Amino acid sequence: MAQKSHSCGMVYKAMHFWMEAIMRMYLQVQMDVEAANSAIKGGSMAEIIRGFTDAVKPEGIWFTALNGKRTMVAIFDLASPADIPALAEPFFMGLNASFEMSPAMNLDDLQKALSRL
């Protein structure tokens, strides 16, 4: 049986660290107009957003309209990928929303990354 090379072990350790590290995320939630209207009237929109903010304590959160839909944008730290379903499902089920996340850097992160190139 072949043994793992030293570089493969380093890649595995780096991937394992990344999967366990807290990561700053950019989130964009676009809400279906009719579902959001109903959620506002019924009071559940405020509950869904409060549940999200209580769970992740976002660095920043903004509300706007994009492409004719109510949109929430947030920057927050994701402790674990296993947290994603609990964060996303209330938006999916309660607001028929799209939920898009990607890793994000602030200026300090970018400068650190560029210094490594």
Side-chain angles (χ1 to χ4, degrees):
M1 180 185 289
Q3 292 185 357
K4 291 182 184 176
S5 72
H6 179 66
S7 62
C8 287
M10 289 175 55
V11 169
Y12 173 78
K13 286 180 183 177
M15 287 176 61
H16 180 72
F17 173 78
W18 180 82
M19 294 298 288
E20 297 300 321
I22 292 174
M23 184 168 291
R24 179 179 289 111
M25 301 299 290
Y26 167 88
L27 170 66
Q28 180 175 301
V29 175
Q30 282 201 306
M31 304 160 209
D32 174 76
V33 173
E34 293 303 318
N37 287 347
S38 294
I40 289 169
K41 290 175 187 172
S44 63
M45 180 187 266
E47 292 174 18
I48 292 168
I49 293 169
R50 188 176 316 107
F52 172 78
T53 59
D54 288 350
V56 300
K57 310 283 190 267
E59 183 178 318
I61 189 167
W62 301 268
F63 299 90
T64 188
L66 294 175
N67 301 316
K69 295 182 179 183
R70 291 178 184 95
T71 303
M72 180 185 89
V73 175
I75 301 292
F76 68 98
D77 290 332
L78 181 66
S80 169
D83 294 337
I84 295 170
L87 297 174
E89 288 303 328
F91 291 104
F92 291 149
M93 294 188 302
L95 299 169
N96 196 25
S98 65
F99 186 96
E100 297 180 33
M101 280 191 337
S102 70
M105 293 185 283
N106 63 20
L107 182 58
D108 292 339
D109 296 331
L110 179 62
Q111 289 172 338
K112 185 186 293 184
L114 293 174
S115 73
R116 296 176 182 172
L117 298 178

